[in-house]
Amino acid sequence: MIISLEDIFSAIKSYNPDADFDQISRAYNVAQEAHKNQFRASGEPYFLHPEAVALVVASELRLDSTSVCAALLHDVVEDTDINIENIEEMFGPVMAQLVGGVTKLNKVFFSSPSAAQAASFRKMLLAMTNDVRVILIKLADRLHNIRTLCFLPPVKQKYIAKETLEIYAPLAHRLGINKIKSELEETSFKYLMPEKAKEINDYLESSGIEGDIIIKKALEEIEEHLKDFNVSASLSGRPKQAYSIYNKTIKYNSGIDTLYDFLGIRILTDSVKDCYAALGMVHKYWRPIPGRFKDYIAVPKPNMYQSLHTSVIYDGKPLEVQIRTHDMHRVAEEGIAAHWDYKERGGSGNSNAPDYKEKLSWLRNLIEWCQEVNDASELMETVKVDLFQYHVYVFTPKGEVVELPKDSTPIDFAYTIHTDVGHRCVGAKINGHIVPLEYRLRNGDIVSILTSKSQKGPSRDWLKIVGSANAKRKIRTWLKKEFRDEYILSGEREFLEAFQRLGGERETEKLFGTPSFNGRVKEFGFPSLDEVYAGIGAGEVRAQQIIGKLFPDLLLKTQQRQIEAKKNRTEKQKKRKAQKGPRIIVGGLEGALIKISRCCNPIPGDEIIGYITRGRGVTVHKKDCPNTKSLASDSENRIIDVRWDLGITDEIMGAGSYMVKIRVETTDRRGMLNSVTSVIANQGLNIISASAKTTKERTGILEFTIEVGNSEVLNELLRLILRLTGVTKAYRVDKKQ
């Protein structure tokens, strides 16, 4: 598709004829010149992309001219010699801020793709604290990238599609921009799960003729009945989208053929009064389905969405009907963008629009969380949960609506009202009845929080109960302050364990806490080493992430060792598959069938003995296996000398040919399972199963079934595990133990 500056101007003039077209022209020319020698994966000139993004910003989001300019310039800092200072000189600080907010941090080295993703997303969210247009431009950018995904390699297609479904489509939904959200979902779904998308679309196509007939018939009847009610309205209808149907199959754990509400109709009226009149008409002529009516006009969603939803039985099939005004429909399609206040129009904007900044408390909470959490994986998981998770809508005793993530508790509600209310919470009433703090809130609950001045603060157990990132952040902040000394000690222990696990030198440990080392810590943004330890102890950041910043070479070596170990393991496993059975030499017998005894699981390096079993060859036991005594007394002439074929086992040393069970006894404290698991993984060994429990004496018992090549590999592993702080015993377990 060829786009011109006139196309962009035409789109802007349709809603904002007083825009600064001279500024847009300058931005267009600067971007065109900057990208003139660049090309996209499709082979087209790269400038086509910023042109398309600017057109989306103008035609689909209807933003101001500054946003259109920023859309045109959004990639120049990332991909050309122009920097933010140049943008500020040419277009001013506001434009520089918008372009900077959308620009990824791809010129900075990160330890992992997830760290880079988290850092770029954090940067974008923080830029939104000053100007929400940053995310609107980014959504337009992502929309065009999704539209042209076909030109990228399959691996990159799936990565971008997954990120879009997990982050950007939910973000568009939370901002109320339904038309962008729908396209992001549908296109991403097609690339991420092509077979499932095809299955659903084929099903819709095969039954689409009937669906179109039903919708057309329903539209005609509704139009006639609305005339009887003197309601003027615009009508439209279509089958539901494939991704929406897929989500229903997941939600109800059913196949597509068991679902039935594929059809939907939308009624747009001129006034709220006409909306309710249209609803009365629909319910008069068709039987409503119980539990499917929702009044989002009286109680709007936090993303400003308003509409009446109902489902009725029409011609023997469920039919979903949405009823709203034309103004509500614009908000439903454009979301927060529908309320943007155009500065070049003297701040006229939509004077009747609600204060959208007050509607975005979820965004403020998310931004606050991003400012505090340092762990990349935790940040992105929190973002995904807060954006993508289904939400519940509950009421305060005064009738105000509060939105919370699904599975939230009264504690989450208390912290949403005020931090002090959360800290002093001792109980809750739901719909007038006292409930436990573990109660999971449901839509429509009226929540009252019971507080006490004698309540000092939150319990650590609350972290296991609450469902919102906002509540977890506030609880952790209080606990970190209250139990600071304890967190510092546990964090220091965990830091040292991780350092040793990654292969850090003992000599380096002596430098921890010295003035020079503390200065290095401050260079990476940490106030002091104690603050680092406290953050690790409180669970705000992982020790390995801090080590990666302070000792990047150490982390890089560990990653290279893991890659090499995985490569070696793969090669050795190929050799193992080519071998038929264990390599054991049986004295006096050729071609004997060999079987490893399950009672003691001998591995290369163990002293072994063979027992001839009729019809099953030779069973191999460890010499100290308790069963060998009974076998010897039973029939001594069946005992036979056997030995490992060391020439072969040397080749497959560490290849993970034999399963063995180990037990690790530890002090009962947080992070021990992760510490031991990391040691096993760093040795390139495969874990078949793992379990953990705590005894009455507060001792941790960890058991693992792993694959090893021989006893030397096993003994070295046990030695490394015993080095970990908190480990009291580490030993091999035979089946009979």
Side-chain angles (χ1 to χ4, degrees), residues 722-736:
L722 281 168
R723 282 185 61 193
L724 293 176
T725 305
V727 172
T728 56
K729 291 182 181 180
Y731 52 92
R732 178 178 174 181
V733 179
D734 290 334
K735 189 173 182 182
K736 294 294 182 182

Side-chain angles (χ1 to χ4, degrees), residues 603-605 650 653 709-718:
I603 62 175
D650 283 344
M653 179 180 286
N710 54 47
S711 59
E712 289 183 18
V713 173
L714 176 62
N715 292 335
E716 174 63 13
L717 172 66
L718 294 174

